[in-house]
Amino acid sequence: MARYVARRLIQSLLVLAVVLTLVFFAGRVIGNPAALILGPEARAEDVKTLEERFGYDKPAIEQFGRYARGVVSGDFGNSWWQRRPALPMALERIPATLQLAAVTMLFALPLAMILGSLAAWKPGSPIDKGVNVISLTGASAVDFWIGLMLILFFAVQLRLLPTSGSGSLKFIILPALTLSLRPLGRVAQVTRSAMLDQLSKPYIKTARAKGFRERRIVLGEALKNAFIPIITLSGDEAISTLNGAVVVETVFAWPGIGLLIVSAVTNRDLPLIEALVFVVAIMIIVTNLLVDLTYSYLDPRVRYG
Amino acid sequence: MSTDSLHHRADNRSTEDETGTRSGPLGEAGEPLLRVKDLVKYFPTERKGFLGARRGEIKAVDGVSFDLHRGETLGLVGETGCGKSTIARTLMRLEEPTSGAAYFKGRDLFTLSKASVQALRREIQMVFQDPFASLNPRMEVGQIIAEPWVVHPGIVPKEEQGRRVSALLERVGLLATDANRYPHEFSGGQRQRIGIARALALQPDLIICDEPVSALDVSVQAQVINLLVELQAELGLSYIFIAHDLAVVRQISDRVAVMHLGRIVEVGDEDEIYARPTHPYTQALLSAAPAPNPVGRKERKRIVLEGELPSPVDPPSGCTFRTRCWKAESLCSEDRPQLIDRFNHGHPSACHFAELQILPATGMA
Amino acid sequence: MSAPHEMTAGDGPAARDSGEPVRNVTVRKLLRALWRDKLMLFPLLFLVALMVAAVGADLLAPHDPFDQNLRSRNVPPMSSPTSETSSFPYLLGADPLGRDLFSRLIYGARVSLAVGLSSVLASGTLGILLGLMAGYHRGWLDDLVMRGVDVLMGIPGLLLALFILFLVGTGFWNLVIVFALTRWMIYARVTRGLTLSFREQPFVEGAQTIGCSDSRIIFRHILPNLASPILVLATLEIAIVILAEAGLSFLGMGIQPPAPTWGRMVAEGRDYITSAWWLITFPGLAILLTALSLNLTSAWLRMVSDPVQRWRWFMGRPESRPEGDTELATAYSEPQSSRTDIESSEPAHGPAANGDHLLEVIDLRVNFRTPDGLLNAVNGISYTLNRGQTLAILGESGSGKTVSAEAVMGILDSPPAFVTGGSVLFDGNDLLQVSPSRRRRLCGERIAMIFQDPLTALNPAYTVGSQIAGMFQEHRGTSKREATAKAVELMDRVRIPSARERVHDYPHQFSGGMRQRVMIAAAIALDPDLLIADEPTTALDVTVQAQIMELLAELQLETGMGLILITHDLGVVADVADSVAVMYAGKIVETGPIEEIYSRPAHPYTKGLLESAPRVDRKMDSLQQISGAPPNLRFIPSGCPFHPRCAYVVDRCTVEPPPLYEVRHDRSASCHRIEDVMNVN
């Protein structure tokens, strides 16, 4: 197991290097940094002055050398927008996003699994129909709009909760609720179909023939096997909360990575974006590793050597 | 007994070389239609290690030689993983062989160019096991049967095709009007008939049947077996008939090769193998196969093999059957027994301690 | 290398359906399905209306979407216009620049649908082609494509889209390119997976053997079979792209003003959230309804195209009116005595009459309520079994042999299967009447069952030891430690070598024969009185089959348990059974002692089976054959169900179902012409 983790970490480092290289060249080759800063209406001579000032007129390979050395020492340069080191700016936003993601997943995952299992246990029942509605709504959720509607209702009309910002626990309720709709729907759906799948397997017949109680059959026999697709999806959904975070953090002015990404993009801040890519990539790698380790714990057929 | 055709009596007289291949067929039979020599097929298995991959090999077919004559049916019988289906797939070039040769009408199938393989498809056809998956669900039966003529233009002109499809359908016991229906509208047995009609479309000399009846209900199996036998008599076809069911193989085959872990352990005429088996594995198989006759079952002695079938990734040294064989001695692990005719019965077997066993024919008078 | 196993996995009707690949979706099938699921009209009509709106926006919009009118800034819905160009009211109000919200919504539909459809077309084409090539040719191309898929799947799509748009700038075509680049792998992954599996299908190999070129195989044989899953996927993807486009628009990275987009309309209305609720409400609703309709359509298409899905969605909701064959089906399921006069004149069977029988099944009936109609799987069967005796239930696929055993055991999948009549007497109890908990105790402890495929019948996630030990823990409350020790003993008893070391291994680490021994060990754990073995050796090789049958015989001799052996194999029956019940179309057509029946069958079907089976001990000139195929249980023939295939058929057989006549005191057959059948012998 330790060897497996070591191998995965080495692989991850390689992937990280490739991603950062791609990002660098995408920024320098597809886009012109100086033009990016100044926007589409910039005059040619302004672009040229800027290129010379920041050294963007030098050969790409020379720039890359400087960039690579910087990355290794954790230096992505100064943010153009805030004029301070980009990496710390990105790093200090992690806790807020993690907090939001954690609350979201802690709320959505268990609830989704319970709902999905109940639906699969009694297919066609009112619970099952309810779960179908939830998962369809989750898949169709227009997160930014739902966030605004929640603000309209709970903050503006009822004045129960703050409209936006961060601080006490009250602030996290609405954003987490908005963000949880999609994972809730998707995980409930997958749990339902994975459980239905397992409950129709021959080994369930065996368990019934053995005279096991229904609870043992559903929770003991089927759920352990159904966990594998559920965990896969949960990992994907955890990563996808970053998608949602961009929008939801914007709506609720939640000071996390997502909000910073939007600011970096609207302020055309290339160093900050490069630093953000680095941070996001690491978050993804860690999530994937956790998912893989959970697999090997759950499925005896997956053994890493 | 089925017609004891001239050519396999000729085979009985032919001499055997060390590998069990018949050298120089004599008399009426002439050159064999197909001569397989030392066919080997290993599949690589990948096991991921810490760095890169360690490679192992599944020895699916490990040096198989046999002859097939015109108008003859050769049965290949054996248990799961013995390599019988792999032989079919390599002969059809669905898999590339690791080594060996297969001379069909004198040309080596395995060294032919891609274009020549295409031409050869016209002469060798295949019938598959699963009647539910072997027909394209999106094509009408007529299209399925006529497709060979689309792929090989010039055999049957377009305006002729409809008539020929009808004729083929009627020949295999279906209705001409079935051409416009989809495969899912047919039962398993009927689908297998469609598969046979498709195989016949190119008028091949050889049809390889890979477990053609094992997915069918008992009451339908006989229909398909009888159809195959009739077609053979009518069209002079040769069959390689692959099955795990010993009774089915006996019913249809002129000669039978018993396979174990990628090798032929015994080969000979149908009545030789079934009534006078010499290899312990053949004897065990026959003894394990339940006969549909409850009379005297208490007295029947049965050889029940102990232990498990060895893995084809790491087969035992020497004789691959020795781990389950009650006759095994140290010689068996050291020396791989050759397939030679040990009793001058015209049927060679690969066992150092081969022993003739005479099995009585039982059942109805 | 293929496993030459018999394909008789469970003879329930469901098993037959699921064997088929995904069905073709034809227009006719869609219309029929729509007729059945009328609620689907709403999302479909909404989508049609949306498309009409998008195409005919110029004609349909009551106002110019760009027409600013400062006098009507943020006016609420249904206000009269102050514009000179049109007198139509502002149906949904007006925006901060005084533009008609309704008209802007209609034009917004154009943007959403155009982006959605173009992106799906672009990403779909790219992904499907790559997936086909990767799946068919494999090798380096496959590696490359799959690496790309893996990497892209791991990246949050919206972030990637933001990054690319940041570099290349926004605009319609840039958006389409971004979605093509960030969504192609969804299609590539699905297409590749399906292509890989189709490539192994015999029909593709069949195409190879007749000499089809690669491109012909890919485009004529594989691609058409992908149509349904891809259609389902593409519909879903349109929704995803439309949602993503709205999100990007909201963030200001979508199509730039002045073109109206739903996402930006919400963003623009955000500042007026307290004063003008309609500004965000209606565009948001438009996005939600569009996505919801597309998602519903996709789910519905999947259900229509995949019979298993349909099955699942409608489980628990038996269709009241099966199509077409209602009369036939109900006529057949009406109770009718299939026993002889002599038998039915006997006193009513009850616990008292059970006597020395271990198990007595009386007039058992089971049907399946499926979305396609009613299936009569078991149509009134009766049999008895004594201690230490072996009864073989012999039948082909669809004969009802497995279903009847599962009904006895109480493990039918219900729905769709329902026991509709009869009784199962075991030890003075009618198993069909006792409480569920009592039945569970009886069936778990005193009746045990083993199944055809020991790999799937064992739970892959638990060690074999715990699956055997579970019997003691569940029924005896034994501690885990003690139960595991007993499991080792049992594994020894069924002769699994080195049981102590292997007790903690998982099922996949055992061979087929050893797995079946594990099943048997769990079954005999509590010393049952009756063991039901459903095709216990069908999935095994003949030498292993002999080992297992020998083990069962030995255990039976030791424990004196009764054995019900369900099989299609005449040879296995001849080898071990004391008596046999031959089933056809859900009925027992002949029953009696094994020697009697094998030497002088009284039913033409039994006789046909015995004569048509090839024999290992003799080669026959030609096999006798039964014409035709076993009947579809939805269309069981009238009169005697065997009559269309029967060589002895007379007019009477087509109308009058034969009762089970007594042939001798211990055997009976269900045929009008028993004497003729037996005499011809």
Side-chain angles (χ1 to χ4, degrees), chain A:
Chain A
M1 188 59 80
R3 277 172 69 184
Y4 172 73
V5 174
R7 198 178 82 214
R8 281 299 308 264
L9 282 176
I10 294 171
Q11 279 177 355
S12 304
L13 278 178
L14 284 174
V15 171
L16 196 61
V18 172
V19 167
L20 288 174
T21 310
L22 278 178
V23 166
F24 175 84
F25 283 103
R28 300 301 184 282
V29 178
I30 303 175
N32 174 349
L36 282 174
I37 300 171
L38 296 168
E41 282 96 36
R43 288 182 313 182
E45 55 261 45
D46 292 343
V47 172
K48 206 161 164 47
T49 329
L50 205 71
E51 274 182 353
E52 279 162 20
R53 220 178 92 203
F54 286 108
Y56 293 134
D57 52 347
K58 301 237 171 63
I61 205 76
E62 192 185 320
Q63 293 184 48
F64 182 68
R66 230 174 60 192
Y67 165 82
R69 273 195 300 281
V71 166
V72 171
S73 56
D75 177 14
F76 283 80
N78 277 0
S79 151
W80 296 339
W81 162 52
Q82 295 268 337
R83 306 195 184 277
R84 60 191 184 97
L87 188 61
M89 279 180 71
L91 288 175
E92 68 199 20
R93 295 297 188 99
I94 289 181
T97 294
L98 278 188
Q99 195 190 4
L100 182 59
V103 172
T104 302
M105 293 315 259
L106 283 178
F107 167 68
L109 288 187
L111 186 61
M113 284 186 219
I114 292 169
L115 286 175
S117 304
L118 283 174
W121 185 43
K122 290 260 187 280
S125 66
I127 296 175
D128 185 26
K129 296 203 171 101
V131 169
N132 271 328
V133 170
I134 290 175
S135 55
L136 271 172
T137 317
S140 322
V142 194
D143 38 17
F144 58 91
W145 177 69
I146 289 179
L148 288 172
M149 294 311 271
L150 288 175
I151 292 177
L152 184 62
F153 190 70
F154 287 102
V156 177
Q157 294 290 322
L158 301 178
R159 298 184 181 281
L160 282 175
L161 295 165
T163 52
S164 59
S166 65
S168 69
L169 204 62
K170 270 185 167 178
F171 286 89
I172 208 167
I173 295 177
L174 289 185
L177 191 63
T178 313
L179 201 51
S180 64
L181 281 178
R182 195 165 311 194
L184 182 65
R186 297 228 355 205
V187 176
Q189 184 64 47
V190 165
T191 307
R192 176 185 183 272
S193 62
M195 284 296 280
L196 270 182
D197 221 37
Q198 294 301 330
L199 285 172
S200 66
K201 287 269 164 81
Y203 71 79
I204 293 294
K205 276 223 155 120
T206 309
R208 296 225 156 92
K210 283 173 166 178
F212 287 176
R213 270 167 305 221
E214 207 59 17
R215 206 183 49 172
R216 177 174 179 145
I217 290 171
V218 176
L219 298 180
E221 300 273 334
L223 195 59
K224 191 169 175 193
N225 285 293
F227 257 132
I228 288 159
I230 298 173
I231 295 293
T232 312
L233 184 80
S234 302
D236 288 353
E237 287 300 316
I239 291 170
S240 297
T241 47
L242 283 169
N243 276 334
V246 171
V247 171
V248 170
E249 288 180 4
T250 307
V251 169
F252 291 95
W254 184 263
I257 294 261
L259 190 58
L260 190 64
I261 289 173
V262 175
S263 309
V265 168
T266 40
N267 288 299
R268 305 169 184 286
D269 193 339
L270 189 60
L272 184 54
I273 285 181
E274 284 167 351
L276 282 165
V277 169
F278 175 71
V279 170
V280 168
I282 285 185
M283 290 168 81
I284 293 172
I285 285 168
V286 171
T287 313
N288 279 328
L289 195 60
L290 288 177
V291 168
D292 278 4
L293 292 181
T294 320
Y295 276 153
S296 67
Y297 172 71
L298 285 173
D299 188 354
R301 284 166 296 188
V302 184
R303 283 279 183 253
Y304 306 107

Side-chain angles (χ1 to χ4, degrees), chain C residues 351 354 424-432 434 438 442 446:
Chain C
N354 201 8
V424 177
L425 305 176
F426 176 78
D427 193 27
N429 299 283
D430 184 347
L431 292 181
L432 301 179
V434 299
R438 175 149 180 76
L442 281 170
R446 304 195 44 202

